[in-house]
Amino acid sequence: MRLRTTRKSALLGASFLAAATFSGSLFAEELRLITWGGYAPDEVVAQFEKETGIDVKITLSNNEDMISKLRATGGAGFDLAQPSQDRIVGVQRQFNIYKPIDYSRINTDQLQSSMVKAAQGATKLGNDYYGVPSVWGTSGLIVHSSVADTVKDYTDLCDPSVAGDVSYRLKRPTLIGFAFAMGMDPFAAYNDRDQYQSIMNKVEDKLIDCKANVKTYWTGGDQLLALLRTGEVKAAMAWDAGGWKLNAENPDIRFVAPESGALGWIDTFAIPRRSENEEAAYKWINFVMQPEIAAKITNASGNFTASKGADEYVKSDLRDAYRASFTDQAINNIKWYPPVPPGLETMEGQVLDRVQAAN
């Protein structure tokens, strides 16, 4: 009788263990991350899963798609998102798809303080912050060494000595960059439409006067890189990552942070309002912002992160190009994009149309 009871207990125990194991495999802890390409490299995901036991499910996306998906579900379906810093406040005010960040759960000691300040400023709504800085990048100048002494700021692209050797896009970063180089602060005028229009009018006149210098208005990254590789263009307004890529091919070409300041964007970490694993979200943020881990993200994406000291671990050619472009002073001088008030992009579009049409 005791033997049969023991066997029965053993069988029950084995069955319970098998059921628990099966249940655990079905209901393992999971982090559902919606992010950009390159921001969650396979080796980083594998290391996080090994160290935490949390499975990571990745959905690649962009700003518009993130907003669409989270708006459709009222902030459900994902535990962590990575929208840009200027695409949070307006969306949150209108659709309520995120929850405030608890900064007491963020290891800010491993983050660059200027970027924390910028992200908090751009994502503050009421008394709450909705974003943590993650990956960042800038637009500035890509210059060949032959014109480096001339082209040090955006408006130097209009210098007669580089006529016909210049390219930039007819997009809003060009308007913003030229405004700063002309001694104005367009971001400070965001909430004063009349003042902003006055700034745009002055930039419009400058860009029309500068048309004779422009070889072509580039429209795609590959097109611009080809123009710079062949020497058809010697100076351009463009993104830092493109400049560093070219520098690896030709040391005479490099990305320069303009004297008036590079224009910066920050992709953040934001927690959807109906996240089902907030704890895992905070674990991921603190994990990937460790310098050694963040460097792997830079190596995969070509963009640097808010992690302090991560450049020490980045592959040498990219690290050296970055350091040549950005001193501490240049980083502190970056003009970070704030949220764009309604109506301003329409105003800017009209300016760009007039510049395009001018003879």
Side-chain angles (χ1 to χ4, degrees), residues 115 134-138 265-266 303-306 322 326 334 336:
M115 294 183 194
S134 172
V135 176
W136 65 278
T138 67
W265 52 267
I266 300 175
N303 295 115
F304 282 77
T305 72
Y322 163 78
F326 286 106
I334 293 172
W336 301 105

Side-chain angles (χ1 to χ4, degrees), residues 66-78 97 272-274:
M66 287 183 209
I67 293 168
S68 177
K69 282 182 166 61
L70 291 171
R71 179 185 175 188
T73 60
F78 299 96
I97 58 176
R273 182 169 60 86
R274 294 168 63 188

Side-chain angles (χ1 to χ4, degrees), residues 187-204:
F187 294 160
Y190 262 18
N191 294 315
D192 185 333
R193 291 180 63 89
D194 290 339
Q195 184 184 0
Y196 196 76
Q197 184 66 70
S198 176
I199 291 173
M200 289 298 104
N201 290 343
K202 294 173 183 175
V203 172
E204 177 182 340

Side-chain angles (χ1 to χ4, degrees), residues 156-171:
D156 293 334
L157 296 169
C158 303
D159 191 285
S161 66
V162 292
D165 295 329
V166 165
S167 185
Y168 47 80
R169 292 190 302 166
L170 281 182
K171 296 289 184 180

Side-chain angles (χ1 to χ4, degrees), residues 29 31 48 54 105 275-284:
E29 190 175 0
L31 172 68
F48 178 79
I54 300 170
R105 300 170 73 177
S275 167
E276 295 178 5
N277 200 341
E278 194 173 330
E279 180 65 26
Y282 282 105
K283 285 182 179 179
W284 175 266

Side-chain angles (χ1 to χ4, degrees), residues 257-307:
E259 290 179 344
S260 60
L263 302 179
W265 52 267
I266 300 175
D267 288 334
T268 70
F269 295 110
I271 298 181
R273 182 169 60 86
R274 294 168 63 188
S275 167
E276 295 178 5
N277 200 341
E278 194 173 330
E279 180 65 26
Y282 282 105
K283 285 182 179 179
W284 175 266
I285 295 170
N286 289 322
F287 175 79
V288 299
M289 286 296 99
Q290 296 175 92
E292 299 93 332
I293 305 300
K296 295 178 181 180
I297 294 174
T298 295
N299 289 335
S301 68
N303 295 115
F304 282 77
T305 72
S307 175

Side-chain angles (χ1 to χ4, degrees), residues 5 11 22 31 38 57 87 114 129 184 207 214 222 236 240 249 268 270 276-277 279 284 315 325 342:
T5 302
L11 288 170
F22 179 70
L31 172 68
K57 181 180 178 182
R87 305 299 298 273
S114 63
Y129 304 119
M184 299 175 286
L207 289 174
V214 180
D222 290 341
D240 49 20
E249 302 171 10
T268 70
E276 295 178 5
N277 200 341
E279 180 65 26
W284 175 266
K315 55 188 179 183
S325 300

